[in-house]
Amino acid sequence: EVQLVESGGGLVQPGRSLRLSCAASGFTFHDHAMHWVRQAPGKGLEWVSGLRWNSDGIRYADFVKGRFTISRDNAKNSLYLQMNSLTTEDTALYYCVKSDAFDIWGQGTLVVVSS
Amino acid sequence: QAGLTQPPSVSKDLRQTATLTCTGNSNNVGNQGAAWLQQHQGHPPTLLSYRNNNRPSGISERLSASRSGNTASLTITGLQPEDEADYYCLAWDSSLSVWVFGGGTKLTVL
């Protein structure tokens, strides 16, 4: 079964950091680009960042540039998102998504930024 | 980053046809098309249509996607109660080198 499982979310104070992880299984992870997409409570989907199978072509949405870093470890079938200088506007459910087709989504991990 | 434009809500009667639209520009929808995703309340999104308008396996034949110029469309025929959901379009913007979502359309089946 193709599966993506996110972890690492939680409650964090403004200005602090958090690292999200995504464990992939059921497909050849190193063959595919991967993405992070977020959804604030009651709001729409918002693309955050993505990278190619070999970690090339890293792209970020304007609102996270300089604060978030996406990475992957193909040996561990894992995707990561290091989030620094968090603000209350980063509060959202963060999804890990497979490929540029966006064909498989995890259940998401909730990040709440609050003092 | 400007997103894609979708009507916030559409309401249609049971067994009728709904057409959802997604408007972008020549750098995104008009360039490589748009994918469509469905999201039921409390669940992650599900891919309904690739950017080439093909359906993934397991997606109902009642759904079809198309594109005309800078506008992508998702047509759902024979509306069923389970079609009531939020629908999002998604495209690659070749000018900005980012992926952009539409704001989503809430489809209500009456």
Side-chain angles (χ1 to χ4, degrees):
Chain A
E1 179 191 6
V2 177
Q3 196 171 15
L4 296 169
V5 180
E6 303 92 338
S7 61
L11 175 62
V12 61
Q13 292 179 329
R16 304 300 291 265
S17 300
L18 212 55
R19 188 192 194 210
L20 306 184
S21 299
C22 170
S25 60
F27 65 98
T28 308
F29 181 74
H30 62 247
D31 277 352
H32 298 279
M34 295 294 295
H35 299 271
W36 288 99
V37 174
R38 73 183 186 182
Q39 187 169 34
K43 302 297 184 181
L45 301 171
E46 195 170 41
W47 178 79
V48 175
S49 181
L51 77 173
R52 292 183 185 145
W53 66 274
N54 59 356
S55 298
D56 281 348
I58 290 178
R59 296 285 185 265
Y60 297 100
D62 277 350
F63 57 80
V64 302
K65 276 182 181 175
R67 300 189 300 127
F68 293 7
T69 302
I70 191 172
S71 63
R72 64 189 296 164
D73 185 337
N74 287 341
K76 295 182 178 179
N77 290 343
S78 293
L79 177 72
Y80 307 101
L81 186 67
Q82 176 67 42
M83 304 187 295
N84 300 330
S85 303
L86 286 162
T87 74
T88 56
E89 295 190 348
D90 295 317
T91 293
L93 188 62
Y94 285 74
Y95 292 105
C96 170
V97 190
K98 168 183 168 284
S99 87
D100 287 349
F102 291 77
D103 55 349
I104 301 295
W105 294 61
Q107 292 294 314
T109 186
L110 181 63
V111 173
V112 177
V113 184
S114 175
S115 54
Chain B
Q1 289 156 336
L4 309 177
T5 300
Q6 298 183 250
S9 63
V10 170
S11 297
K12 290 288 184 180
D13 289 330
L14 193 66
R15 293 182 295 276
Q16 295 303 302
T17 295
T19 298
L20 311 182
T21 59
C22 167
T23 302
N25 59 42
S26 59
N27 294 316
N28 42 59
V29 176
N31 186 1
Q32 297 187 23
W36 287 91
L37 301 116
Q38 178 192 60
Q39 185 178 35
H40 288 105
Q41 182 71 26
H43 293 271
T46 300
L47 181 68
L48 298 178
S49 172
Y50 296 105
R51 285 184 290 156
N52 59 7
N53 298 328
N54 290 336
R55 284 188 307 271
S57 61
I59 300 300
S60 171
E61 293 181 354
R62 295 187 295 107
L63 278 69
S64 63
S66 62
R67 176 171 64 100
S68 177
N70 297 334
T71 297
S73 299
L74 178 71
T75 299
I76 310 172
T77 60
L79 283 169
Q80 299 298 309
E82 60 265 29
D83 296 324
E84 189 161 288
D86 294 323
Y87 292 81
Y88 295 92
C89 58
L90 167 67
W92 170 252
D93 192 299
S94 58
S95 175
L96 300 174
S97 293
V98 296
W99 290 89
V100 288
F101 278 98
T105 295
K106 182 176 183 59
L107 175 62
T108 300
V109 180
L110 303 172

